[in-house]
Amino acid sequence: MGTMCGRFAVTTDPALLAQKIQAIDESASSSASSGDKDVAGANYSAGPNYNVAPTTTISSVVKRHTEPEDESTRRIRSMRWGLIPPWVKTAEGGGPDTKGPLLINARAEKVTTSPAFRNSAKSKRCLIPMDGWYEWKPNADKKAKTPFYMYGADGELLFMAGLWTTWRPQGAPKDAPPLLSCTIITTDSAGPLAEIHDRMPLTISAPDWDRWMDPDAPIDEGLLRGHGDLDRIAVREVSRLVNSVRNNGPELIEPAEPEEMGLF
């Protein structure tokens, strides 16, 4: 099956999110683009995004220190979705050479051993907040796949386990703001979700957020094998409008109309 979690929806503004989860909002000052003109984002909108696609700038939650000895605190930072490891070469325009695969997902089973992810897994773990994500289920007649939307049944955000890293162009001054990028960790689907796709994002429940993001502790293998918020997730069939990245509005997450629904 193809990649997992390639589109999602997030409608909460970073400032509101910061308030909600007691975090410092650094989203405007963190850089998710490699050209100065974009810092804090020509490609970033803090408004609702019902069709977040790879390479979009998204909000990510991290725990970091301000001073080496102080307690780490939660921060919200803007990041490019699709991890760019530090060793990626600098392209002619000064940005990263992104010819390789888009690292939008990292398999939970491989994050501690994969060269692309293992350094981030040590101390750069994050949470990716979302309202829900989309997945496409193949139909028996091999025609167009049917889109489904997986979301928090209680109306609250879901927080997915992620990894992040920093990248700097070759020869950039040490104090130049790095490009921040992230990936969403996926795991085997469980429960009713397994009928739609074999993979799903790895959910982390609120009591485990700080343990997951702790920059001073090794990765919690138990959380990597878990399904933190599985019981909160509901599923509904949605309109095929989501298939095009050009479509973006609340109608994307509405239940599919009867004439759109396949005959079972």
Side-chain angles (χ1 to χ4, degrees), residues 20-225:
K20 212 171 178 152
I21 65 165
Q22 284 94 54
I24 303 161
D25 181 12
E26 296 180 342
S27 61
S29 59
S30 46
S31 172
S33 70
S34 47
D36 287 337
K37 63 182 186 304
D38 269 336
V39 171
N43 59 347
Y44 181 57
S45 88
N49 190 339
Y50 292 91
N51 205 349
V52 179
T55 75
T56 305
T57 298
I58 59 172
S59 291
S60 171
V61 190
V62 299
K63 271 197 95 172
R64 305 309 279 171
H65 295 278
T66 304
E67 301 294 331
E69 297 304 310
D70 69 1
E71 207 170 311
S72 60
T73 48
R74 296 177 186 174
R75 290 106 195 281
I76 292 167
R77 291 183 176 172
S78 300
M79 298 192 187
R80 174 194 191 270
W81 180 25
L83 195 86
I84 298 169
W87 68 78
V88 166
K89 290 187 168 64
T90 306
E92 274 180 19
D97 180 347
T98 51
K99 284 194 204 64
L102 275 177
L103 301 175
I104 59 167
N105 293 153
R107 296 177 78 90
E109 303 84 347
K110 296 198 170 120
V111 293
T112 56
T113 55
S114 153
F117 304 124
R118 62 187 177 211
N119 277 344
S120 293
K122 282 183 191 136
S123 60
K124 287 189 167 74
R125 300 179 296 273
C126 60
L127 293 169
I128 313 286
M130 61 177 72
D131 294 40
W133 79 97
Y134 301 99
E135 208 47 80
W136 284 260
K137 182 181 181 177
N139 290 321
D141 59 9
K142 299 281 187 288
K143 283 207 188 88
K145 294 178 175 181
T146 305
F148 286 85
Y149 179 59
M150 279 58 69
Y151 59 99
D154 53 6
E156 292 295 323
L157 285 164
L158 294 164
F159 288 80
M160 305 309 182
L163 303 172
W164 66 283
T165 192
T166 56
W167 178 89
R168 281 185 175 84
Q170 201 177 351
K174 282 275 177 274
D175 56 355
L179 167 65
L180 306 184
S181 63
C182 61
T183 186
I184 295 172
I185 297 178
T186 65
T187 187
D188 283 332
S189 287
L193 303 186
E195 292 168 29
I196 294 166
H197 199 278
D198 60 342
R199 305 289 293 177
M200 65 176 281
L202 176 64
T203 55
I204 304 283
S205 50
D208 295 323
W209 290 348
D210 290 320
R211 194 155 50 119
W212 170 256
M213 294 187 290
D214 188 346
D216 308 307
I219 197 163
D220 185 316
E221 300 275 353
L223 292 177
L224 265 185
R225 287 190 293 270

